[in-house]
Amino acid sequence: MDFIKYMLFLFIFTSTLTANNLNKVSLQLQWKHQFEFAGFYMAKEKGFYKNAGLDVEIKEIESTTNITEDVIQNKSTYGITYPSIILEKSKGKKVVLLSAILQSSPHVLVSLKSSGIKSVRDFKNKRIMIIDNNVQTAPFESMFHSNYISIKDMKVVKQTFKLQDLIDKKADLSSVFSTNELYQLDKQNIAYDVWDPKEYGFDFYDDILFTSQSELDNNPQRVENFNNASLKGWEYAFDNIEETVNIILEKYNTQNKTKEALIYEANALKKLAYLNTAKVGKIDKQNIKRIYDVYNVMGLTKDKINFDRFIYKNKDETKKLTTKEKLYLKNKKQITMCIDPDWMPFEQIDSKGNHIGISSDYFKIFEKELNIPIKVIKTKSWAQTLQFAKQRKCDIISMAMETPNRKQYMNFTTPYLSVPLVLATKNEVSFVDDFRELKNKKVGIVQGYALTELLKLKYPNLNIIEVKNNIDGLEKVTNNKLYGFIGSIADIGYIFQTTHISDLKVVGKFKERWELGVAVRNDDLILYNIFQKVVNSVSLATKQKIFNKYIAVKYEKGIDYTLLWKTSIGFVIALLILIFFLIRQNRLKKEIDDLNKNLELKVKKEVDKNREKDKVIFRQTKLASMGEMIGNIAHQWRQPLNRVNLNLEVIDVLINEEQIDKQMVKKKIENGQKNLQYMSDTIEDFANFFRPDKITKNVDILKTINKSAELLGSRLRGVNLNIPLKKDFIYNTYENELLQVILVILNNALDNFKNEKVKDPKIDVSFKKIDNDLNIDITDNGGGISKENIDKIFDPYFSTKFKKEGTGIGLYMAKMIIEDSMGGELKVVSTKIETTFTIVLKKDILE
């Protein structure tokens, strides 16, 4: 008996001693007990906190609680809060984000079917029951603005947090949590509609776990232990919902919820916690930046944020491989991998059998990091790649997007590449930013892609046609067999740059994205954990470097008011450049004039100096060309600017007269945006023209001539310019130099039309193949060149124009370029009616 008493005393003493050795910390919840905080309950109940050396007090919210201040002042060690914590950080509050329990916010708006609300625009003049706090409602207000309405267009009703007020029609709309209140509506068989900001591209994290900077600085290991134990608790809670609900009913059910309601909440929360991720608690810097940007646009932020210090980096995610994992790799000796054999720039098996593309660059890093060969198993198509993965012929797929179907046989790491999804279609199609606008239209997607499965679930009215590959899809659009083709900005941009497809454009970037990670066979969890670590170890700088190596594409944007600033700034810069170079030109001209004073007396002695003068002349002709180009830009900008101004005046009149016609306003905005895009493209062409060629390349002569016509723009208005429809002459040369020569000849013709007041001006371009020479004839009907002038036409400083209209060096430099740089000839013949300049290209012509 004494022995039993002694053992009982020893057990109690030891338990007390152990409890006293635990670090006491507290967690402040943002609401009352419910499944929303189940992971923390299970971390406590299953001993995860205790094993981490922690004694955790979990506190419900009270009416006087200020979560952020309580954590900063150490009244609570950790807290759960809303994404508005980002605003607190911008105001200087010293807090650190640990994990985002919910990848997407459950905060949505709901309306009853009986309200007659069928779209966001129908919210106007409706009664909305919502918190009167633009910080909390930022996602909603962003959704409103994207549909051209404002909260000011609605009648705000005080939020009572009583769903019955909506049912009793005291409000037409109410903000609710999709994990709770929707259950009550379903229970009562009340028909309703949900208006979720994430459906409109405004998706925020929620239930964010955070702590103070001082807690992290003073107790870094405790922070890591608490965060890891909490996430372990969440994984357990979601994997054991029934057990977790029973524990909540027994110990944490202060709201007296039913078991059915808690299970409903659990399943809804699980979807939000694992949305686009395989690991609970994921927190991404780019997503935090996006939320900050939304707040910033709304004028809510105060200062910029150092996001690297704001977001805690969990050491457990990127720590070195365990002994068990290293032994696994040593015994395995080789990892087999399947890829998409034809998906550039992402990846491809080239003609020599090599793995190339973006994924290749990543796996060179992974292979070096793991110190094990990764063997590519060749397949004929993406469909076969998936089939090989199912049959376990390959351990991993290099890059793939998670879908419910694929989860049956593969696990997916955190995505290492996230790429915007776009729509490519014909040039005449206007901007598209929502798949719902494509209802019943035929759109192509590559067969077997995850996107097909996901979009069919989300947009059942989308008429998806599966195609063999990207090129097949785009060619079907070109041939009018499809309305458009859906792919990523990367692969479509790559095809535009590397193939003959040129009559299409990108007209929409959607909120959906390719989220590409490593897919690992789901019967090998050790290998999955290894790749999860190696993926997380790649720095953002490395990711950006790899992406930039392969990607460069422009797409037509939606309404983007930064475009106006960009084009305006570009125009101002162009003017400043012009002023600077005109001043420099005058100086150079003076220097050249000084050299010419005694030129006849010093010809034989000054040969070397004349060579230097040629260089000066070359620079001067560039400046003259720049002046002509800026003149062309001015011509091309005048009309679009007038159109934009007119659109703004129409909108102003409508607003002043309170006769807002939404369709008209939208049309005017779209029209203005198209004109601004045109102006932006003009600046782009201007910049490309003056970018010096470093190496020769195969140049399509016809395309170069057409490009020169585009650069001249409105100067050609009224001129009958005849260019052959199709001539496949490819020449290995300097494209911009040839372009400059053609522009000089065309500009001379246009100036002559103006000076001679030609009634029906005409320019004919023709090609003639003589042996290995290509003759490009450019003929104008501007009245010809007189006999006394034709022999001087290529002399420097000879011009028949007024001084203010020309420098007399354009044709001189054109001849130098063709004959000295390109090994060809530039000739001219003239009659009283016509003048023909002939460019003879003699080298490396390939037909």
Side-chain angles (χ1 to χ4, degrees):
M1 183 64 70
D2 289 338
F3 176 75
I4 294 174
K5 288 180 180 179
Y6 172 76
M7 292 301 295
L8 182 62
F9 169 77
L10 186 61
F11 173 77
I12 295 172
F13 175 78
T14 304
S15 298
T16 304
L17 186 62
T18 302
N20 288 337
N21 287 335
L22 296 177
N23 274 300
K24 290 190 175 183
V25 296
S26 58
L27 170 68
Q28 177 61 63
L29 306 181
Q30 64 184 4
W31 193 242
K32 304 293 184 182
H33 290 307
Q34 53 190 19
F35 200 95
E36 185 180 359
F37 311 112
F40 305 112
Y41 307 150
M42 299 313 289
K44 186 179 178 78
E45 298 298 326
K46 304 306 292 186
F48 302 150
Y49 285 141
K50 185 177 180 181
N51 293 339
L54 300 171
D55 178 10
V56 180
E57 177 190 4
I58 300 175
K59 303 189 293 186
E60 282 188 311
I61 199 166
E62 298 178 1
S63 59
T64 58
T65 302
N66 183 319
I67 302 175
T68 305
E69 287 300 323
D70 282 3
V71 171
I72 291 173
Q73 295 172 16
N74 205 29
K75 293 179 182 178
S76 298
T77 324
Y78 304 96
I80 287 288
T81 191
Y82 301 102
S84 56
I85 187 72
I86 296 170
L87 292 178
E88 300 287 347
K89 182 67 175 179
S90 79
K91 294 173 183 176
K93 299 295 176 65
K94 296 182 178 181
V95 290
V96 179
L97 307 186
L98 302 180
S99 295
I101 306 304
L102 300 183
Q103 298 297 296
S104 180
S105 175
H107 207 189
V108 299
L109 292 176
V110 65
S111 63
L112 304 185
K113 289 280 189 184
S114 58
S115 69
I117 297 173
K118 297 180 180 179
S119 72
V120 174
R121 295 185 185 182
D122 292 337
F123 290 3
K124 191 172 183 179
N125 298 321
K126 299 295 185 182
R127 295 165 299 164
I128 182 168
M129 192 158 59
I130 196 170
I131 298 173
D132 188 15
N133 182 335
N134 55 9
V135 172
Q136 299 293 342
T137 60
F140 295 139
E141 295 206 44
S142 300
M143 177 175 68
F144 301 154
H145 284 297
S146 71
N147 285 272
Y148 310 108
I149 64 172
S150 165
I151 190 108
K152 295 178 182 178
D153 297 324
M154 304 167 218
K155 299 173 184 176
V156 178
V157 178
K158 184 179 179 181
Q159 177 61 278
T160 62
F161 300 101
K162 294 178 181 178
L163 191 62
Q164 193 61 41
D165 287 342
L166 181 70
I167 297 171
D168 293 341
K169 299 187 177 180
K170 294 180 181 179
D172 303 299
L173 291 144
S174 178
S175 61
V176 301
F177 275 76
S178 59
T179 53
N180 292 321
E181 283 85 354
L182 298 186
Y183 165 77
Q184 298 176 40
L185 292 173
D186 290 338
K187 186 95 171 159
Q188 299 179 58
N189 292 318
I190 297 174
Y192 60 87
D193 286 309
V194 175
W195 308 97
D196 191 340
K198 71 171 168 282
E199 297 295 330
Y200 298 84
F202 303 101
D203 198 9
F204 283 23
Y205 285 135
D206 216 320
D207 283 12
I208 298 175
L209 178 63
F210 77 104
T211 190
S212 64
Q213 185 66 53
S214 63
E215 168 68 6
L216 179 60
D217 292 341
N218 297 325
N219 303 288
Q221 190 60 53
R222 187 165 75 182
V223 171
E224 183 176 351
N225 291 345
F226 180 83
N227 191 46
N228 290 341
S230 298
L231 296 180
K232 189 175 180 181
W234 272 110
E235 290 173 357
Y236 189 92
F238 284 134
D239 288 341
N240 302 275
I241 289 176
E242 183 90 15
E243 178 188 348
T244 303
V245 167
N246 287 334
I247 288 176
I248 293 174
L249 288 170
E250 180 184 349
K251 296 185 176 182
Y252 299 95
N253 195 19
T254 56
Q255 295 191 76
N256 296 316
K257 288 192 170 189
T258 65
K259 183 174 183 177
E260 186 180 8
L262 287 168
I263 290 176
Y264 179 96
E265 182 187 5
N267 289 315
L269 286 168
K270 185 174 182 178
K271 291 178 182 177
L272 297 176
Y274 285 103
L275 188 67
N276 297 324
T277 182
K279 185 175 179 63
V280 69
K282 175 188 171 186
I283 188 163
D284 183 79
K285 183 167 70 173
Q286 295 304 319
N287 287 346
I288 294 295
K289 281 184 175 180
R290 289 192 198 105
I291 300 171
Y292 173 86
D293 289 340
V294 172
Y295 285 140
N296 191 40
V297 168
M298 296 179 70
L300 300 175
T301 59
K302 185 176 181 182
D303 294 320
K304 291 183 178 180
I305 293 174
N306 183 335
F307 292 95
D308 290 322
R309 283 183 57 81
F310 184 36
I311 302 169
Y312 173 67
K313 191 71 173 178
N314 194 333
K315 296 177 184 176
D316 188 53
E317 290 183 0
T318 56
K319 67 183 182 182
K320 293 181 180 180
L321 300 182
T322 63
T323 303
K324 182 179 179 181
E325 289 165 345
K326 289 177 181 178
L327 182 62
Y328 168 91
L329 291 174
K330 183 178 180 181
N331 293 332
K332 190 169 180 61
K333 301 185 185 306
Q334 175 181 275
I335 297 171
T336 55
M337 174 174 73
C338 290
I339 74 167
D340 188 326
D342 187 20
W343 192 26
M344 284 298 285
F346 294 110
E347 55 188 8
Q348 188 181 62
I349 301 295
D350 68 9
S351 57
K352 297 179 181 179
N354 298 318
H355 175 201
I356 61 173
I358 292 175
S359 70
S360 171
D361 284 15
Y362 274 97
F363 274 86
K364 286 174 184 174
I365 296 171
F366 298 161
E367 193 172 42
K368 184 178 180 181
E369 184 76 21
L370 298 177
N371 194 29
I372 184 174
I374 299 177
K375 180 183 178 182
V376 176
I377 306 298
K378 296 177 183 177
T379 58
K380 295 180 180 179
S381 66
W382 175 245
Q384 189 178 56
T385 290
L386 294 177
Q387 189 63 35
F388 274 29
K390 289 180 183 178
Q391 296 169 355
R392 307 306 192 195
K393 292 182 179 180
C394 42
D395 297 316
I396 62 173
I397 298 177
S398 56
M399 52 169 51
M401 189 170 176
E402 180 181 330
T403 69
N405 182 48
R406 293 176 186 173
K407 280 287 286 182
Q408 296 176 22
Y409 56 95
M410 304 293 281
N411 286 325
F412 294 81
T413 67
T414 300
Y416 62 85
L417 192 62
S418 177
V419 188
L421 199 62
V422 298
L423 174 74
T425 186
K426 288 293 190 71
N427 283 321
E428 60 269 20
V429 176
S430 60
F431 182 75
V432 178
D433 65 350
D434 193 325
F435 281 123
R436 280 170 289 201
E437 296 179 34
L438 304 176
K439 184 178 180 181
N440 298 326
K441 287 185 169 63
K442 290 183 179 181
V443 292
I445 300 177
V446 175
Q447 183 180 14
Y449 277 6
L451 196 58
T452 306
E453 183 179 343
L454 298 175
L455 292 183
K456 281 183 177 179
L457 289 171
K458 194 170 183 180
Y459 304 100
N461 292 323
L462 201 62
N463 188 0
I464 294 176
I465 307 296
E466 294 189 312
V467 297
K468 296 177 190 174
N469 51 44
N470 290 311
I471 292 179
D472 178 41
L474 292 170
E475 287 180 342
K476 280 183 166 60
V477 177
T478 299
N479 298 326
N480 296 314
K481 293 181 180 179
L482 293 173
Y483 174 80
F485 177 76
I486 297 174
S488 81
I489 190 76
D491 48 18
I492 290 177
Y494 180 84
I495 291 170
F496 282 177
Q497 294 175 65
T498 58
T499 70
H500 64 281
I501 297 173
S502 59
D503 58 341
L504 304 181
K505 67 177 180 181
V506 172
V507 298
K509 185 174 85 170
F510 303 100
K511 55 182 175 288
E512 287 83 3
R513 301 172 70 89
W514 286 108
E515 300 284 351
L516 301 168
V518 180
V520 185
R521 52 191 296 173
N522 64 358
D523 59 350
D524 194 339
L525 291 178
I526 296 180
L527 187 61
Y528 166 74
N529 289 330
I530 289 171
F531 271 99
Q532 181 65 48
K533 289 176 181 179
V534 77
V535 164
N536 285 333
S537 69
V538 181
S539 70
L540 183 62
T542 300
K543 290 180 180 180
Q544 197 64 53
K545 183 178 179 181
I546 293 173
F547 190 75
N548 291 343
K549 175 180 174 182
Y550 291 90
I551 308 303
V553 65
K554 297 185 295 181
Y555 61 90
E556 182 175 312
K557 297 183 180 180
I559 298 168
D560 184 357
Y561 297 102
T562 61
L563 187 57
L564 177 60
W565 288 107
K566 290 165 83 172
T567 52
S568 299
I569 291 170
F571 186 59
V572 170
I573 291 172
L575 288 176
L576 290 175
I577 291 172
L578 175 62
I579 292 169
F580 170 77
F581 281 105
L582 285 177
I583 293 171
R584 183 161 182 166
Q585 180 181 354
N586 287 334
R587 290 178 181 174
L588 292 173
K589 190 71 178 289
K590 188 176 183 301
E591 291 175 13
I592 295 167
D593 288 342
D594 291 339
L595 288 172
N596 284 335
K597 286 179 182 179
N598 299 312
L599 187 61
E600 291 182 0
L601 300 174
K602 298 181 179 180
V603 170
K604 293 182 181 180
K605 297 179 181 179
E606 301 292 332
V607 172
D608 291 338
K609 290 184 179 180
N610 284 336
R611 288 176 180 171
E612 290 300 317
K613 185 185 71 174
D614 286 343
K615 294 179 182 179
V616 173
I617 292 172
F618 182 81
R619 292 197 297 270
Q620 191 176 7
T621 195
K622 278 286 187 181
L623 299 176
S625 298
M626 182 176 286
E628 290 175 347
M629 284 296 295
I630 292 177
N632 292 338
I633 290 172
H635 277 291
Q636 294 186 63
W637 274 27
R638 190 171 291 114
Q639 189 174 11
L641 280 173
N642 287 337
R643 288 175 182 162
V644 172
N645 187 53
L646 181 61
N647 289 331
L648 292 174
E649 287 179 0
V650 170
I651 293 171
D652 186 53
V653 169
L654 291 173
I655 292 172
N656 289 335
E657 295 183 2
E658 297 184 353
Q659 296 179 355
I660 301 298
D661 183 334
K662 292 181 181 178
Q663 292 301 320
M664 179 177 287
V665 170
K666 183 178 180 182
K667 186 176 180 181
K668 293 297 179 185
I669 291 173
E670 288 177 351
N671 184 268
Q673 185 256 340
K674 288 178 182 177
N675 280 287
L676 291 173
Q677 183 67 52
Y678 169 78
M679 293 162 71
S680 177
D681 291 342
T682 304
I683 285 292
E684 185 80 14
D685 291 337
F686 170 76
N688 287 335
F689 173 72
F690 285 101
R691 187 176 295 121
D693 288 326
K694 299 297 183 185
I695 58 173
T696 60
K697 62 181 179 181
N698 287 339
V699 177
D700 187 320
I701 304 301
L702 181 60
K703 284 185 178 179
T704 303
I705 293 171
N706 281 315
K707 189 173 183 180
S708 68
E710 291 173 7
L711 287 169
L712 289 169
S714 60
R715 285 209 73 196
L716 286 168
R717 189 172 298 138
V719 177
N720 184 7
L721 177 62
N722 299 309
I723 301 174
L725 292 177
K726 188 174 182 181
K727 285 285 184 179
D728 295 328
F729 290 113
I730 309 298
Y731 186 80
N732 189 264
T733 187
Y734 302 100
E735 182 178 22
N736 282 350
E737 305 301 309
L738 178 60
L739 181 64
Q740 183 179 346
V741 171
I742 296 168
L743 280 170
V744 166
I745 295 171
L746 293 178
N747 268 314
N748 271 275
L750 294 174
D751 291 339
N752 207 43
F753 292 151
K754 180 181 177 183
N755 292 336
E756 300 298 326
K757 298 181 180 179
V758 178
K759 290 184 178 179
D760 297 307
K762 182 176 69 169
I763 299 175
D764 293 319
V765 180
S766 61
F767 298 99
K768 197 180 298 177
K769 191 78 175 295
I770 303 174
D771 296 327
N772 287 325
D773 295 351
L774 174 63
N775 287 16
I776 307 168
D777 291 333
I778 303 175
T779 303
D780 70 79
N781 65 341
I785 304 169
S786 65
K787 290 182 180 179
E788 62 268 23
N789 289 335
I790 196 162
D791 292 335
K792 305 174 186 176
I793 200 74
F794 293 118
D795 291 348
Y797 303 114
F798 176 79
S799 176
T800 59
K801 307 174 190 176
F802 295 108
K803 286 186 178 180
K804 66 177 182 178
E805 294 177 337
T807 61
I809 57 176
L811 287 172
Y812 168 68
M813 284 309 304
K815 191 172 181 69
M816 282 183 62
I817 289 171
I818 293 297
E819 298 186 355
D820 293 351
S821 297
M822 298 166 62
E825 290 182 51
L826 179 59
K827 302 181 291 186
V828 63
V829 295
S830 185
T831 67
K832 290 183 179 180
I833 300 172
E834 294 182 338
T835 299
T836 300
F837 285 91
T838 300
I839 302 171
V840 182
L841 303 180
K842 292 188 174 182
K843 293 184 178 179
D844 303 323
I845 301 174
L846 303 172
E847 187 172 358

